[in-house]
Amino acid sequence: ENPERTFDLVLKVKCHASENEDPVVLWKFPEDFGDQEVLQSVPKFCFPFDVERVSQNQVGQHFTFVLTDIESKQRFGFCRLTSGGKICLCILSYLPWFEVYYKLLNTLADYLAKELENDLNETLKSLYNHPVPKANTPVSLSVNQEIFIASGQVLKDQPSLIPHSCFIAPDITGLPTIPESRNLTEYFVAVDVNNMLQLYASMLHERRVIITSSKLSTVSTSHFSL
């Protein structure tokens, strides 16, 4: 309910070379992250598809998974595929900030593509060490010789600061809206009204529901919308 940080871990994972091999962690932040169970399990969730037969276009660029511990605490994994689906960037967090993390993943992927690893590390370090922003608080990751977090007012007062990524901390107590919520929007595109009613009726009757799709991102968004 009260996570200490905005995120716990960021991984860069390379897909496995064969079915008998596990994905390889190429890089992690923070470097001293020591939960070996998480480090062993999360990479396997980064490639929940046949990497030899399925392309990134079929899978989709973003998807999400959830880990539930013995105390029923949920931690979300937000993923972005790059390099034709061979590399996955993953952010692990207790916060269900889907749009925020998808946007941050795009920023991190841009840093990697431009080989700006110092900027990437400094951005993550600033966000990792900053207290979790309160709901509806604007946050900007900005560069001015060094990277730091600034509120919207600071950026306004100091126009020399260049925002690299901006977001407003979501209010997770409110209901999601369209088109602001990517999950809800993609779910409404993929599922017609009759099937929506059948899904909700099945859930109210506590029936088991299995969602299938030819695209991983659609399965992911539909699952979290429900």
Side-chain angles (χ1 to χ4, degrees):
E1 294 181 358
N2 298 293
E4 296 179 0
R5 297 182 175 88
T6 306
F7 67 89
D8 293 335
L9 176 68
V10 178
L11 292 177
K12 179 182 178 183
V13 183
K14 182 179 180 181
C15 72
H16 46 78
S18 67
E19 293 183 359
N20 298 323
E21 298 181 22
D22 291 332
V24 178
V25 176
L26 301 178
W27 167 88
K28 66 178 178 178
F29 181 94
E31 293 184 0
D32 60 354
F33 187 88
D35 191 329
Q36 293 303 314
E37 184 177 352
V38 170
L39 290 174
Q40 291 177 8
S41 62
V42 168
K44 297 176 183 179
F45 284 91
C46 290
F47 298 97
F49 57 93
D50 189 335
V51 296
E52 296 182 356
R53 295 191 302 170
V54 180
S55 68
Q56 179 179 329
N57 291 334
Q58 293 172 289
V59 174
Q61 192 173 62
H62 296 100
F63 61 92
T64 310
F65 61 85
V66 62
L67 303 177
T68 305
D69 64 17
I70 195 171
E71 297 178 350
S72 297
K73 293 180 180 179
Q74 292 185 329
R75 191 153 40 169
F76 302 92
F78 303 90
C79 298
R80 184 190 192 277
L81 295 173
T82 63
S83 303
K86 303 300 181 183
I87 299 293
C88 180
L89 296 176
C90 178
I91 298 175
L92 196 65
S93 173
Y94 283 107
L95 297 166
W97 291 2
F98 295 90
E99 303 308 315
V100 169
Y101 291 120
Y102 287 154
K103 186 174 183 179
L104 180 58
L105 283 168
N106 290 340
T107 300
L108 299 182
D110 187 50
Y111 282 146
L112 289 174
K114 296 177 181 178
E115 299 183 351
L116 300 174
E117 294 188 2
N118 287 337
D119 286 354
L120 182 148
N121 282 309
E122 290 300 321
T123 299
L124 292 176
K125 182 179 178 180
S126 297
L127 191 56
Y128 185 80
N129 292 328
H130 192 276
V132 177
K134 294 182 180 180
N136 299 316
T137 299
V139 177
S140 296
L141 303 177
S142 307
V143 177
N144 183 19
Q145 296 181 342
E146 62 179 14
I147 297 180
F148 62 96
I149 293 182
S151 68
Q153 185 61 41
V154 171
L155 286 174
K156 183 177 180 181
D157 295 341
Q158 300 183 41
S160 60
L161 302 180
I162 305 172
H164 271 214
S165 183
C166 305
F167 66 86
I168 296 177
D171 181 2
I172 59 175
T173 63
L175 293 174
T177 58
I178 294 177
E180 288 75 20
S181 170
R182 180 187 305 193
N183 285 346
L184 198 59
T185 301
E186 189 163 350
Y187 170 66
F188 269 74
V189 170
V191 182
D192 61 32
V193 175
N194 288 333
N195 280 322
M196 284 184 197
L197 293 175
Q198 290 185 20
L199 281 171
Y200 286 123
S202 297
M203 292 172 65
L204 290 173
H205 284 85
E206 298 185 356
R207 294 174 180 167
R208 294 181 179 180
V209 177
I210 298 177
I211 301 175
T212 64
S213 173
S214 58
K215 198 170 184 180
L216 178 59
S217 60
T218 301
V219 172
S220 174
T221 56
S222 297
H223 169 76
F224 284 103
S225 293
L226 290 170

